[in-house]
Amino acid sequence: MRILKFGGTSVANAEAILQVTTILKTLPLSQEPAIVVVSAFSGVTNSLEQIAELAALQEASYEQKIEALKNQHLT
């Protein structure tokens, strides 16, 4: 079994993600099965931690940070 892990700069933006898809499309189907692991975009884990801290403190600004994170993914 092959395990392919992509993270950090490999999924930092749309161009990088397209490169990952290109790599995956070139994998020979006749070989052993592959598991693909994709980490969060660069900086997302830190953003989630900050959002959680703000929410725990009942700081209303966490909602704006959630929207920013959502927009980052949609973009």
Side-chain angles (χ1 to χ4, degrees), residues 9-46:
T9 57
S10 297
V11 292
N13 55 43
E15 183 180 337
I17 293 169
L18 287 174
Q19 180 63 32
V20 169
T21 62
T22 299
I23 292 167
L24 295 175
K25 287 178 183 177
T26 63
L27 293 177
L29 296 176
S30 61
Q31 291 185 0
E32 61 189 339
I35 294 174
V36 179
V37 178
V38 181
S39 296
F41 296 158
S42 181
V44 169
T45 301
N46 291 340

Side-chain angles (χ1 to χ4, degrees), residues 40-54 65 69:
F41 296 158
S42 181
V44 169
T45 301
N46 291 340
S47 293
L48 290 170
E49 289 174 347
Q50 184 181 37
I51 289 167
E53 288 173 10
L54 291 170
K65 297 206 179 283
L69 194 56

